[in-house]
Amino acid sequence: MYKFKLLSVLTILICSNSFAQQATEDYELYASNDTVKNKKGEILQEVTITGKLQKKPITIGKSEINPMDLPQASFVIGKETIEQQQIVRLSDAVKNANGVYVSGASNASGNNQEELGSRGFTFSGGNTFRNGIRINGSIIPEASSLESIEILKGSTALLYGNVAPGGILNLITKKPKFTSGGELSLRASEYAFYKPTVDVYGSINNSKTVAYRFISSYEKGNSYRDVVSSERIFFNPSFLIDISKKTDLLIEADYTKDSRTPDFGLATINYKVIELPRNSFLGFDWGKFNSKQQGFSTTLNHQFNSNWKLKGLFSYQGYTTNLLSSLRPNSTNLVQANGDWTRGVQKTDTKQDYSIAEVDLTGKFKTGNITHTVLFGADADRSSTATLAFKNITNYDKINIYNPTVVISKNASYTSTIEPFMDRNTNAVSDIKRSGIYFQDLISIFEKVKLLGGIRYNYLENNTNTLTYSTNANVETATNDNIISSKLGILYQPTKNHSLFASYSDSFVLNTGTDKNLEALPHSTIDQYEVGLKNEFFKGQLTANITTYLIDYGNLAQTDFSNGNTNTNIKELAGSYSSKGVELDITGYYKSFRILAGYSFNETKYTKSNIYNTGTYLRFSPKNTANANIFYTFENNLFKGLEIGFQSTYIGNRLGGRLRPNNASTEAELARTPIPVDGFLQFDASLGYTIKQFSVRTKMSNLANITSYYVYDDNTVTPIAPRMITTTLSYKF
């Protein structure tokens, strides 16, 4: 079956090569100019993707480098894909990018965040950016404001400091325009879900110097999961001020309020997935997960001349959450063999303030016959987070997961109340300050040989204060760190359309917890090696890239078990693991025909550990992923305006649950074993029709109505959504 699935995907890939050989028209895949104005005074988006665009290089990260000159794998999900697939969440979007997958909860499960991964690592909050600005990853980004999504795989520590090594997501938002227009849309799907959206842009009082854009959406609906519902409101005003021919100021603001029923999926028994109805809800119907996020940013761009550009930005984000929900099954409250489960209650309130300032100078110059494309930059940010955790209630009531609506028994202490009173447990305040200075140079030594080198100096302060209310004890930790990050890459280009590259980069990860002397832990180190081949055929209408990589994660913080310690916050740098793999992606355009396809293989194993055996696979990361998406728009015949699409996504076998430690002693630890989750192949289909300014699009996801699961770090899995129909009506003006 597995071979058949991969064969199906590869067949589509081969077909893409065949059609592209017929290409004759001079189209380019990408267009970009990083907020530089065109001749009409309109702002050009940082990255856009359509079938027929200007011949401009794509900008990746903070510097404008053509993808063929970048010794690193990258991918862009463009506007057409976002619209045609009616993308609501990032988890829907990344199905188009090879090697990027949903590693945790389904977006429809009621959770307020999505767990995405690549190359064996998750895209944590520190790995998600909006217009190059780091954002809080604890709330689902709003797709209605997105123009495109950049995915830069591998290490980006040179540009962004401490980020996880799997890569980053950079969300490119829609910008103001001096021409008037907009769009009204209404999206609806099963389970009473609906989402109206308004997007309006133009100049203020027909001004040629001030443009605006206002985007707002509201969504409300239930879920294929019983009891689960969500409500969300979003505002995104922005203004572009054309100060002069060479200078502009972009001001953006956003506000998101998100309320959801917390839902951690289906429980397992003896660390095995059991057959339960997809809609079974095991939590509390009075549970809540409320989030608010608000922020603003200002970006100043100044073009000195055709070669030199200055960019400065400042951004602030505020974020709060209130969680009240059931505890997930863990070592203290596992589901019994007959299905009985003693439910517990957890409550957490979180508040975070995050601000960043950044200045970048990019330019081109020559030293003799050698061309330099350089980036000079500096950034500084501060994150202040306060987490109030209440004492968990480990025995609130008992249910049987085969009949979860019936409460078998309830703790006598809570019979007179529904939402229990909970005592405060700890208040943890974390204050992280980061600053960096970086330099990068793309050197064209010869016509066919280029070098990319860069170095970054990082300074970090991490101060934490944890108050335990029961003892009134404070535990304070403070650390200062000076870290150098570097990157070196070489490219050989036999022609302008073919690039062979190799690169090395290093990065770091901040650790939480303390050592046995209650001192803050040093950082972990990451070394990354990457080799790849990039190809463009038929004037850019077909791209075919293959990349292989090795990531060594050293000084991994693990629990220190010396002297009988069982406190998981007491750690030592005793572990390491490696991630290695291969990625293939193909993108093709021919007239109105478009294809996105790819395949990825990854292995992530422990190479050293005081807890697990060497060679043990890490959880959540599938070995194999693949995708193949085809879209066609009719243009010059009876069916003009009609568009059809077909999408297939494969996520291979994964491990969830908990790994058994080598020194397991308790009954719960001895019982631990990873939860194997089978891979799945999902098919989606879409149909759309546009006539003049009106359009209607319908998408049927999970055509075969297959059943599979996403995994968690505890003993639960979340079923993927069943077959569903989503329809969007829109009017552009």
Side-chain angles (χ1 to χ4, degrees):
M1 181 66 180
Y2 164 74
K3 293 182 178 179
F4 173 76
K5 293 174 180 176
L6 290 185
L7 180 62
S8 300
V9 173
L10 291 176
T11 300
I12 297 176
L13 300 184
I14 295 172
C15 292
S16 72
N17 188 29
S18 300
F19 92 81
Q21 295 180 13
Q22 308 174 39
T24 59
E25 298 186 39
D26 192 14
Y27 298 156
E28 288 287 323
L29 295 182
Y30 304 109
S32 69
N33 205 1
D34 192 24
T35 66
V36 178
K37 292 181 285 293
N38 62 17
K39 293 181 180 180
K40 297 181 179 180
E42 299 174 338
I43 205 77
L44 298 180
Q45 306 301 325
E46 190 170 6
V47 179
T48 59
I49 176 171
T50 67
K52 307 172 184 179
L53 293 177
Q54 318 158 14
K55 295 182 179 181
K56 299 275 187 180
I58 185 176
T59 62
I60 292 291
K62 299 179 180 182
S63 57
E64 298 182 3
I65 298 179
N66 189 298
M68 299 298 294
D69 296 335
L70 186 70
Q72 191 168 355
S74 61
F75 194 82
V76 173
I77 302 168
K79 180 180 179 180
E80 281 189 342
T81 300
I82 294 173
E83 290 184 351
Q84 289 180 334
Q85 297 183 5
Q86 302 178 76
I87 287 173
V88 178
R89 302 284 182 257
L90 290 182
S91 54
D92 302 322
V94 299
K95 292 179 179 180
N96 299 279
N98 81 88
V100 183
Y101 47 85
V102 179
S103 63
S106 166
N107 69 74
S109 67
N111 291 280
N112 77 322
Q113 61 186 115
E114 298 178 289
E115 299 176 10
L116 310 177
S118 176
R119 298 187 173 183
F121 301 88
T122 59
F123 289 111
S124 63
N127 287 53
T128 305
F129 295 76
R130 182 171 57 237
N131 300 321
I133 302 171
R134 196 189 310 257
I135 62 174
N136 190 304
S138 298
I139 193 168
I140 299 173
E142 178 54 47
S144 63
S145 67
L146 298 183
E147 186 77 24
S148 61
I149 302 170
E150 292 181 346
I151 301 173
L152 185 58
K153 298 182 181 179
S155 175
T156 57
L158 173 65
L159 301 179
Y160 299 105
N162 61 306
V163 292
I168 67 168
L169 295 173
N170 189 24
L171 313 178
I172 308 302
T173 60
K174 300 172 181 177
K175 303 297 192 297
K177 296 182 179 182
F178 285 93
T179 55
S180 297
E183 181 177 9
L184 301 175
S185 66
L186 175 63
R187 180 166 298 163
S189 67
E190 297 175 68
Y191 307 101
F193 175 90
Y194 62 94
K195 180 177 183 177
T197 302
V198 58
D199 178 5
V200 183
Y201 54 82
S203 62
I204 296 180
N205 294 328
N206 295 319
S207 170
K208 296 182 179 180
T209 58
V210 182
Y212 71 91
R213 192 160 194 158
F214 178 78
I215 302 171
S216 181
S217 65
Y218 173 80
E219 67 177 66
K220 184 177 177 64
N222 300 322
S223 167
Y224 62 93
R225 305 274 296 137
D226 289 346
V227 180
V228 174
S229 64
S230 63
E231 184 175 19
R232 181 183 179 94
I233 188 169
F234 172 76
F235 297 100
N236 176 208
S238 58
F239 299 91
L240 174 66
I241 304 173
D242 191 358
I243 300 175
S244 70
K245 292 183 179 180
K246 296 184 177 181
T247 308
D248 61 66
L249 177 66
L250 179 64
I251 303 172
E252 299 176 278
D254 64 273
Y255 172 83
T256 305
K257 181 179 180 182
D258 193 292
S259 301
R260 298 176 178 270
T261 306
D263 174 23
F264 299 112
L266 304 178
T268 62
I269 296 179
N270 294 325
Y271 296 90
K272 295 181 180 178
V273 177
I274 58 175
E275 293 186 6
L276 286 175
R278 199 187 320 238
N279 61 312
S280 293
F281 177 74
L282 307 182
F284 300 117
D285 56 7
W286 44 261
K288 56 185 178 183
F289 206 149
N290 300 326
S291 304
K292 289 183 182 180
Q293 180 175 278
Q294 60 281 327
F296 72 91
S297 66
T298 60
T299 305
L300 180 69
N301 291 281
H302 179 72
Q303 194 87 34
F304 293 101
N305 50 46
S306 59
N307 291 325
W308 290 92
K309 175 188 172 184
L310 180 69
K311 179 180 180 180
L313 64 86
F314 174 80
S315 175
Y316 165 81
Q317 301 163 37
Y319 169 80
T320 60
T321 64
N322 305 106
L323 169 67
L324 177 64
S325 75
S326 61
L327 286 166
R328 286 179 283 181
N330 52 42
S331 58
T332 62
N333 66 333
L334 293 173
V335 179
Q336 302 303 303
N338 65 350
D340 285 352
W341 179 39
T342 299
R343 292 190 295 187
V345 185
Q346 63 176 328
K347 183 179 180 180
T348 307
D349 296 336
T350 303
K351 183 179 186 300
Q352 182 185 76
D353 293 292
Y354 177 74
S355 57
I356 181 173
E358 179 183 309
V359 177
D360 292 318
L361 177 65
T362 56
K364 294 182 179 181
F365 65 92
K366 285 188 174 184
T367 55
N369 294 323
I370 299 177
T371 301
H372 301 262
T373 302
V374 296
L375 164 68
F376 301 90
D379 56 27
D381 67 354
R382 180 174 183 176
S383 175
S384 299
T385 306
T387 303
L388 175 61
F390 294 78
K391 289 184 178 181
N392 291 339
I393 299 174
T394 58
N395 181 9
Y396 178 79
D397 64 8
K398 179 187 288 187
I399 64 170
N400 189 285
I401 64 173
Y402 295 105
N403 188 17
T405 60
V406 177
V407 176
I408 300 174
S409 63
K410 189 173 183 180
N411 191 320
S413 301
Y414 308 108
T415 54
S416 62
T417 182
I418 297 179
E419 298 184 20
F421 173 82
M422 302 177 68
D423 293 321
R424 296 178 299 178
N425 185 23
T426 60
N427 187 40
V429 179
S430 172
D431 188 17
I432 299 175
K433 299 176 184 178
R434 297 174 288 202
S435 59
I437 302 173
Y438 43 93
F439 169 74
Q440 177 180 276
D441 189 6
L442 176 64
I443 306 173
S444 300
I445 304 177
F446 307 106
E447 183 180 357
K448 298 181 179 181
V449 179
K450 297 179 181 179
L451 292 176
L452 179 70
I455 189 168
R456 178 187 178 100
Y457 166 76
N458 302 276
Y459 174 74
L460 298 101
E461 290 185 14
N462 188 2
N463 301 298
T464 63
N465 186 315
T466 302
L467 170 65
T468 302
Y469 289 96
S470 61
T471 61
N472 202 33
N474 262 334
V475 177
E476 296 183 13
T477 62
T479 182
N480 299 303
D481 222 338
N482 297 274
I483 307 171
I484 301 295
S485 302
S486 61
K487 184 171 186 172
L488 179 64
I490 183 171
L491 296 101
Y492 172 66
Q493 298 174 315
T495 72
K496 67 178 183 178
N497 296 320
H498 304 278
S499 293
L500 176 65
F501 71 87
S503 67
Y504 164 81
S505 59
D506 55 32
S507 56
F508 61 97
V509 173
L510 297 179
N511 289 310
T512 59
T514 68
D515 61 19
K516 59 186 177 182
N517 299 317
L518 300 183
E519 298 291 335
L521 289 169
H523 62 272
S524 298
T525 59
I526 301 170
D527 296 291
Q528 191 160 184
Y529 309 86
E530 191 168 341
V531 177
L533 178 64
K534 299 182 180 184
N535 301 279
E536 290 185 353
F537 305 98
F538 312 108
K539 300 181 180 180
Q541 291 188 101
L542 175 67
T543 65
N545 306 320
I546 186 169
T547 306
T548 182
Y549 59 87
L550 171 65
I551 304 173
D552 286 326
Y553 193 126
N555 292 330
L556 177 67
Q558 297 188 306
T559 302
D560 186 350
F561 291 103
S562 62
N563 300 320
N565 174 64
T566 58
N567 185 353
T568 56
N569 289 318
I570 305 299
K571 303 177 182 179
E572 59 179 338
L573 302 181
S576 63
Y577 59 85
S578 68
S579 170
K580 59 183 179 181
V582 179
E583 297 167 342
L584 169 69
D585 66 81
I586 295 178
T587 306
Y589 289 80
Y590 176 58
K591 296 185 177 180
S592 300
F593 191 54
R594 179 163 55 98
I595 185 170
L596 306 171
Y599 168 76
S600 174
F601 170 82
N602 173 266
E603 275 191 350
T604 307
K605 299 179 180 179
Y606 283 101
T607 54
K608 178 183 177 183
S609 177
N610 67 340
I611 301 178
Y612 308 113
N613 292 328
T614 299
T616 300
Y617 285 97
L618 272 71
R619 298 166 298 161
F620 314 136
S621 177
K623 278 191 176 183
N624 299 279
T625 62
N627 66 286
N629 310 320
I630 298 175
F631 304 93
Y632 183 78
T633 301
F634 294 84
E635 292 188 346
N636 299 314
N637 51 41
L638 181 65
F639 302 102
K640 183 178 181 179
L642 181 67
E643 57 187 43
I644 56 176
F646 182 79
Q647 182 178 4
S648 60
T649 307
Y650 175 75
I651 297 180
N653 298 346
R654 294 139 291 146
L655 295 176
R658 296 274 187 168
L659 300 178
R660 180 188 300 169
N662 293 334
N663 61 343
S665 58
T666 66
E667 182 179 352
E669 288 178 339
L670 291 170
R672 283 183 181 176
T673 182
I675 300 173
V677 179
D678 293 335
F680 65 94
L681 178 63
Q682 180 176 323
F683 297 99
D684 305 331
S686 61
L687 182 68
Y689 183 70
T690 300
I691 180 170
K692 296 183 179 180
Q693 296 166 284
F694 295 89
S695 66
V696 56
R697 291 185 172 92
T698 295
K699 176 181 178 180
M700 180 175 287
S701 55
N702 196 359
L703 286 170
N705 200 31
I706 63 168
T707 300
S708 190
Y709 306 91
Y710 298 119
V711 296
Y712 280 109
D713 62 344
D714 280 309
N715 306 301
T716 57
V717 295
T718 296
I720 66 173
R723 182 189 297 118
M724 293 178 60
I725 296 178
T726 302
T727 300
T728 302
L729 302 174
S730 63
Y731 170 75
K732 293 184 178 181
F733 54 90

